[in-house]
Amino acid sequence: MSRVQRLSDDLQQAFSAKLTSNVVARGEVTIEVAPADLIDVCSELRDQQKFGFDQLLDVCGVDYLEYGSSEWATDEASATGFSRGVEPGANARLRFGEAPGYVSDRKRFAAVYHLLSVVNNQRLRVRCYAENDALPIIPSVIHIWSSANWYEREAFDLYGIMFEGHPDLRRILTDYGFVGHPFRKDFPLIGHVEMRYDPLQERVVYQPVSIDPRVLVPRVIRNDGRSEDAASEPPASTTERSDA
């Protein structure tokens, strides 16, 4: 039995009633816990000798608003790969003023914790979904790992996830007067406002964004041989290029 599988089995044995998921994939273990059980589980993960996860490496916010959308099923996309941007009804990226439909059956917001055990040389990913999509609230783990301080502030700033019990939950990356949370999937790519220096007022002012909205189309790379065929073709001669 591998060390990763052994860790997964130990976690299942220790927290079987509190785990909503326990998955081993790509050599990593990911467990899911409810907000009500997060503090108890994280405390045991740190304090139990067989786990010993004494370091919190990161806390990531996640927005699953469009998770599972067929927009990203690139195997069935058109031959050119641009159908999502030019064909009506092709589920293109959001245009200004549009709102996406939530197609996933899971909760929308989650916090993902990346843990490291130096003594046992093991890593673990813990995911916790907020129960309320309109006001996502997850308990703060700052009293378990002090490094959660800025990580939780970052997730709050970018995703609007509230960490209950955090002593100083305020923005850390965006401007003080910023409105909204820029990493949410329904936040417009061009933003709501822009700022500039006004020489008459001698200060920075905010104004409605002046960028023209447009659809962004992701680059699609397919393993069907077209790239190899194009690379194997000899370059055009100087005469051919001048004629073109």
Side-chain angles (χ1 to χ4, degrees), residues 1-13 22 24 29 45 50-51 53 122-124:
M1 179 186 299
S2 66
R3 296 179 69 252
V4 174
Q5 187 60 53
R6 186 179 300 109
L7 172 61
S8 177
D9 294 343
D10 290 342
L11 291 167
Q12 191 65 36
Q13 183 178 3
N22 183 352
V24 177
V29 182
L45 289 174
K50 63 179 178 180
F51 299 130
F53 289 102
Q122 291 181 326
R123 295 175 182 265
L124 176 66

Side-chain angles (χ1 to χ4, degrees), residues 233-244:
E233 294 179 358
S237 65
T238 305
T239 305
E240 290 175 338
R241 284 196 293 265
S242 61
D243 292 342

Side-chain angles (χ1 to χ4, degrees), residues 130-169:
E131 296 293 340
N132 190 339
D133 293 342
L135 182 61
I137 300 176
I138 294 176
S140 173
V141 297
I142 191 173
H143 62 285
I144 303 175
W145 298 288
S146 60
S147 60
N149 190 344
W150 281 20
Y151 297 146
E152 291 180 349
R153 284 181 59 186
E154 182 180 38
F156 160 71
D157 190 1
L158 300 179
Y159 291 94
I161 299 174
M162 306 294 294
F163 290 91
E164 187 175 17
H166 193 289
D168 188 23
L169 194 62

Side-chain angles (χ1 to χ4, degrees), residues 10-11 22 32 53 61 76 81 95-96 99 101 103 114 123-124 161 186 188 190 201 204 212 215 218 228 235:
D10 290 342
L11 291 167
N22 183 352
E32 294 180 6
F53 289 102
E76 292 79 23
R95 295 174 174 84
F96 185 74
V103 299
H114 299 271
R123 295 175 182 265
L124 176 66
I161 299 174
D186 52 2
I190 60 176
Q201 303 183 50
V204 174
D212 292 331
V215 176
E228 290 79 359

Side-chain angles (χ1 to χ4, degrees), residues 31 33 38 59-62 64 109-113 126-130 138-139 152 155 161 163:
I31 62 174
V33 298
L38 179 65
V59 178
C60 304
V62 185
Y64 289 95
F109 294 103
V112 181
Y113 305 81
V126 180
R127 179 162 48 200
C128 181
Y129 287 95
I138 294 176
E152 291 180 349
I161 299 174
F163 290 91

